[in-house]
Amino acid sequence: MGFADRLREALEPGWADFPGRVGFAAWNLDEREPVLFGARRVVNPASTIKVLVMLTALREVQRGGLALDTEVRIPDERVGGAGVLKDLPGLRCLELADAVTLMITISDNTATNAVIEAVGFEAIGELAAELGCEGTQVQRLLMRVRDPGRNTTCALDQARILDALARGTVLSPQLTDHALGVLSRQQVRDRLPALLPEGARCWNKTGEIDGSRHDVALIGDQERPRAVVAVLVDELADHRAGVDRIAGLGLRVYAALD
């Protein structure tokens, strides 16, 4: 019995009582047989979209259009939500590497908008298309809900993005390591990594807005990522219950690796 069969057995019949609408995608990075549930359902990505933004920025570094120490301008409008830049009005620029770190590790929305403006919406869309993401769009800055356009994704697309990172098909080895290092320093650990045993590793990015709790991750051991998993949950009446159930999914994915 392979990873996919073990995971399906562990998950059934748990979807029926999930406290919200769930989109789920996971597979072993070596075996590559997917386990999907509602994986193509398009939702608001919240901060999970920041993984795609990070990969776009690092690919621009790889192409020579930017460098990790390129100074990016912090937008004049310091948007709300997560982050610290909204409380640092005197800070006008950041090196790209630092903006990416803030964007991922503490999910800083203003840092995200600085990176988006540095790389451009077109580059983000091009990478999404290259990775086979059919439900993912980034058409406006974060927390700018009155701006035209939509930001969307689905669990399958999020898994594809992380799969490409883990397999090294989108970035050079050096920049792949850089991206994984940033993800490993993610400070919100209450979802997919929360129940993992000692010795497990998780490279993840959470996202949340009212009624939604998401987490997308690579899960593995001290040597390398071994599985990809994306869980996007909306229509939640009980946010805590949603977070707890996502944590349980992370443990099941890890257990299915053995």
Side-chain angles (χ1 to χ4, degrees):
M1 182 181 290
F3 170 87
D5 288 333
R6 289 192 296 269
L7 183 57
R8 290 189 189 100
E9 186 175 87
L11 294 176
E12 295 297 342
W15 300 124
D17 63 349
F18 211 94
R21 293 196 313 169
V22 59
F24 177 89
W27 56 82
N28 182 300
L29 292 168
D30 295 325
E31 297 174 12
R32 312 202 57 74
E33 181 180 348
V35 178
L36 307 176
F37 183 87
R40 292 180 172 84
R41 185 169 56 79
V42 172
V43 299
N44 187 318
S47 290
T48 64
I49 203 65
K50 294 170 183 176
V51 179
L52 176 62
V53 176
M54 174 176 67
L55 296 193
T56 305
L58 294 180
R59 191 172 72 156
E60 291 300 305
V61 171
Q62 183 168 287
R63 290 175 165 178
L66 294 169
L68 290 174
D69 61 357
T70 296
E71 286 200 342
V72 296
R73 188 185 68 84
I74 301 173
D76 293 333
E77 181 182 353
R78 307 298 174 97
V79 296
V84 297
L85 291 182
K86 62 181 181 291
D87 299 317
L88 301 173
L91 191 62
R92 299 297 181 184
C93 294
L94 274 176
E95 290 189 359
L96 177 65
D98 292 335
V100 167
T101 295
L102 288 175
M103 174 175 70
I104 298 295
T105 61
I106 62 170
S107 210
D108 194 297
N109 291 320
T110 297
T112 305
N113 288 346
V115 177
I116 290 173
E117 290 186 338
V119 300
F121 291 107
E122 184 176 352
I124 298 170
E126 286 176 357
L127 181 56
E130 288 176 22
L131 298 179
C133 298
E134 298 177 354
T136 298
Q137 301 178 85
V138 181
Q139 298 178 335
R140 59 175 174 79
L141 298 174
L142 272 63
M143 306 297 290
R144 296 274 294 269
V145 295
R146 295 184 180 178
D147 288 0
R150 301 175 65 207
N151 293 346
T152 63
T153 197
C154 64
L156 181 56
D157 286 359
Q158 287 292 321
R160 284 171 170 156
I161 292 165
L162 284 169
D163 176 87
L165 171 61
R167 291 190 295 119
T169 60
V170 65
L171 297 173
S172 68
Q174 181 180 5
L175 288 172
T176 295
D177 288 345
H178 183 90
L180 290 172
V182 173
L183 285 170
S184 74
R185 299 194 297 276
Q186 163 69 237
Q187 294 187 15
V188 183
R189 310 286 287 178
D190 62 351
R191 281 159 243 187
L192 289 170
L195 300 178
L196 296 182
E198 185 177 354
R201 290 194 69 187
C202 185
W203 300 257
N204 74 303
K205 181 70 196 82
T206 57
E208 58 186 66
I209 54 175
D210 190 38
S212 298
R213 292 295 183 270
H214 308 324
D215 204 1
V216 300
L218 296 162
I219 292 177
D221 51 34
Q222 296 303 313
E223 294 184 1
R224 65 183 178 93
R226 297 179 58 201
V228 61
V229 55
V231 189
L232 308 180
V233 186
D234 65 358
E235 297 189 0
L236 274 170
D238 185 339
H239 292 158
R240 183 69 254 172
V243 166
D244 290 345
R245 289 297 296 272
I246 294 172
L249 292 175
L251 179 59
R252 286 170 172 81
V253 168
Y254 181 76
L257 286 169
D258 295 332

